[in-house]
Amino acid sequence: MNNVLEHSVYISNPLLGEYFEVKLPKWEKRIKCVAYAFCFSETSGQYKVLRSVVSKFEGRPHVSELEVYTLGVDEKWRNVGEVPEPLCGSFCKANVNGFVHWMNSEKNDSIYSLNSWTEEVKSLLAPRGLTTSSYGLTLVELGNCLCLCDTYHSEYVDIWWMKEYGIAESWTKDRIWKDTIQPDISCDRFIPISTWKDGEILMQRYHGTHVVSYNPKEKKFTKVKVYLGFAGTSYIPSFYSLKTVIGESLQVSYAYPKVEIV
């Protein structure tokens, strides 16, 4: 969310039709933009909402501060300090082993991570020799592995896998040629979003509704039929109720979908 004065943030379990509205801090004039992320700490068993707040002060450059709200624990947002790279767009969807990640918006050599348990921010080295700017790079989680995807090129997609988390020397590149995607859209950007159990990689067309699946053994794409919507994301169904997370004192609402999605 960016430059929006009035907005809402919800935590939802679509399988149970539950949702919970997170109470946000009062908007201040000094705030330039905000971004949100959701994470789970296996160490503490806690679910947390992260909020990056970019503020502008007279005579000072933009400052990005990180705020945390722990579901069922915190009554207010906690400020955990400034982050080295102002985040004015959105966090990426690469949540690996309880670490939330984002990239430097101006340089392609640094990746930042926040430990959802200790709430410490650290930096990781991106693969060496990248020639694509941060605009064409996307961080994702594939098979519980941190991946950096270069989707800028019209003929192929490069996926860098960090085989050993935190070890820069473990980056390994796979190049996926897009020659088997239907010709009218093959030159567009395709963003990897998830992996199937058999190792196939699900990708979505950037700013589009087309979804394809890549089989690394056959080196071939197949079209995936989708219904409605304009953006895809990975989702693991769960019967774990929000009530057990936020407690009985807070209100959980219910809204079942009117349209059945097959």
Side-chain angles (χ1 to χ4, degrees):
M1 298 177 182
N2 183 21
N3 293 328
V4 180
L5 295 180
E6 296 183 7
H7 58 269
S8 301
V9 173
Y10 297 91
I11 306 299
S12 173
N13 184 339
L15 186 64
L16 301 181
E18 298 178 337
Y19 68 91
F20 167 69
E21 183 175 1
V22 179
K23 187 176 181 180
L24 300 178
K26 185 178 180 181
W27 190 273
E28 300 178 29
K29 292 183 178 180
R30 65 180 179 87
I31 296 178
K32 183 177 184 291
C33 56
V34 295
Y36 293 92
F38 182 68
C39 64
F40 173 70
S41 171
E42 293 185 359
T43 305
S44 64
Q46 295 176 333
Y47 293 84
K48 298 182 179 182
V49 184
L50 309 180
R51 183 175 188 255
S52 169
V53 182
V54 178
S55 304
K56 186 176 182 180
F57 301 93
E58 286 192 27
R60 291 181 57 192
H62 294 170
V63 176
S64 185
E65 297 176 304
L66 199 61
E67 298 176 347
V68 177
Y69 179 88
T70 305
L71 297 180
V73 177
D74 294 330
E75 295 183 358
K76 296 181 179 180
W77 289 79
R78 293 180 290 105
N79 189 315
V80 296
E82 296 184 8
V83 293
E85 167 63 19
L87 183 61
C88 202
S90 62
F91 286 91
C92 75
K93 297 178 181 178
N95 191 335
V96 181
N97 298 326
F99 287 81
V100 180
H101 303 83
W102 65 97
M103 285 203 74
N104 189 317
S105 60
E106 297 181 353
K107 299 180 180 180
N108 63 3
D109 59 352
S110 298
I111 299 170
Y112 296 101
S113 69
L114 178 128
N115 185 323
S116 61
W117 166 237
T118 64
E119 298 178 355
E120 295 179 331
V121 176
K122 293 184 178 181
S123 61
L124 303 171
L125 289 177
R128 296 180 180 178
L130 290 173
T131 57
T132 302
S133 66
S134 296
Y135 170 77
L137 302 174
T138 304
L139 287 169
V140 299
E141 179 272 328
L142 297 175
N144 201 37
C145 186
L146 178 63
C147 295
L148 179 62
C149 304
D150 184 346
T151 62
Y152 184 78
H153 306 279
S154 61
E155 297 180 346
Y156 57 84
V157 174
D158 280 342
I159 301 180
W160 292 86
W161 306 73
M162 182 175 264
K163 298 294 186 177
E164 296 182 54
Y165 186 80
I167 307 300
E169 291 75 18
S170 70
W171 284 112
T172 303
K173 184 177 75 171
D174 285 338
R175 174 159 293 181
I176 299 175
W177 294 92
K178 298 190 294 182
D179 51 354
T180 58
I181 297 179
Q182 59 193 80
D184 59 324
I185 60 172
S186 62
C187 291
D188 294 342
R189 293 177 62 190
F190 275 83
I191 312 295
I193 58 176
S194 184
T195 53
W196 301 108
K197 290 183 178 180
D198 58 4
E200 290 198 22
I201 302 174
L202 195 66
M203 300 187 189
Q204 182 178 16
R205 183 185 177 193
Y206 189 68
H207 290 325
T209 58
H210 294 86
V211 176
V212 294
S213 183
Y214 176 74
N215 187 318
K217 294 180 180 179
E218 300 179 0
K219 299 185 183 301
K220 182 180 178 180
F221 282 94
T222 56
K223 184 179 179 181
V224 178
K225 193 173 183 179
V226 295
Y227 298 84
L228 305 178
F230 61 90
T233 187
S234 58
Y235 166 64
I236 301 176
S238 172
F239 287 99
Y240 199 56
S241 174
L242 290 178
K243 292 181 180 180
T244 60
V245 178
I246 66 174
E248 297 294 335
S249 60
L250 298 176
Q251 180 66 40
V252 171
S253 301
Y254 295 86
Y256 292 95
K258 297 180 180 180
V259 179
E260 182 179 358
I261 302 178
V262 181

